[in-house]
Amino acid sequence: MTKYIIQIFLSIIFLAISTIASWYEGSEILEDYFEWENTAHFSHIFNGEVTNKNDISQLDYFVYSAKIKPTFPFIMIISLLYLIILIGKIVWRNYKHGFNIFLTILGCLLLLPCLFLFNSPTTGGKVFTLTFGITGLMCLLFSLGFYFRKLKD
């Protein structure tokens, strides 16, 4: 169990640092007026029309960062996925097919964002399409591999 605690702790550290860095980089949206219409989605939902800096939601910082500078949001997503899979492994380790079902559901859920981001012209959109697609397929392939290995046993 100690190895899991260390991995959870490290993934939380990576998640926290990359979240703070993404939030900081995304704050550049306040100065990029031209991106307010196409990037400030949460601000449009919460405030309607965005007319000044005070109308920008903090959540839009992450959208801007993911769209324009996707390095730290990528690290954030990978560390979050690692944490989710690790917790799933701990929770479902005593059930025969529990972890396989968990990986299958997670893999399918990870493939869904690919449908929305597939035609994105931005660098961040392409990065996240590949990230969600590859991790979703990996979850499905690992689940399939675990299933066939358990059939042999």
Side-chain angles (χ1 to χ4, degrees):
M1 191 64 172
T2 305
K3 67 180 181 179
Y4 291 127
I5 292 172
I6 292 170
Q7 290 178 54
I8 288 172
F9 179 73
L10 289 174
S11 63
I12 288 172
I13 295 288
F14 271 97
L15 180 62
I17 291 171
S18 60
T19 301
I20 291 167
S22 296
W23 179 70
Y24 175 75
E25 283 187 340
S27 68
E28 290 179 17
I29 192 172
L30 298 176
E31 304 303 322
D32 194 355
Y33 307 112
F34 300 110
E35 284 294 327
W36 288 2
E37 186 64 35
N38 298 321
T39 305
H41 302 297
F42 291 104
S43 298
H44 289 296
I45 292 170
F46 299 140
N47 301 326
E49 188 176 343
V50 178
T51 56
N52 62 37
K53 294 178 185 181
N54 297 331
D55 294 338
I56 302 290
S57 169
Q58 299 282 316
L59 294 173
D60 286 323
Y61 289 13
F62 294 105
V63 174
Y64 182 82
S65 181
K67 184 177 177 182
I68 305 299
K69 297 180 178 182
T71 304
F72 287 111
F74 171 79
I75 295 169
M76 195 170 97
I77 293 295
I78 294 299
S79 58
L80 180 64
L81 287 174
Y82 187 79
L83 184 63
I84 290 169
I85 291 170
L86 191 60
I87 290 171
K89 177 133 177 86
I90 292 168
V91 169
W92 297 104
R93 70 174 178 236
N94 293 330
Y95 300 99
K96 186 174 183 178
H97 295 291
F99 188 60
N100 288 351
I101 294 169
F102 171 76
L103 280 180
T104 302
I105 292 170
L106 182 63
C108 291
L109 289 175
L110 287 170
L111 291 175
L112 286 177
C114 291
L115 299 174
F116 299 107
L117 298 172
F118 187 71
N119 289 327
S120 177
T122 65
T123 304
K126 293 173 184 172
V127 166
F128 285 105
T129 298
L130 284 173
T131 301
F132 288 124
I134 290 171
T135 55
L137 289 174
M138 285 176 57
C139 285
L140 291 173
L141 289 174
F142 276 115
S143 174
L144 199 60
F146 292 147
Y147 177 75
F148 285 129
R149 191 174 80 200
K150 287 191 180 194
L151 281 179
K152 276 184 160 179
D153 295 338

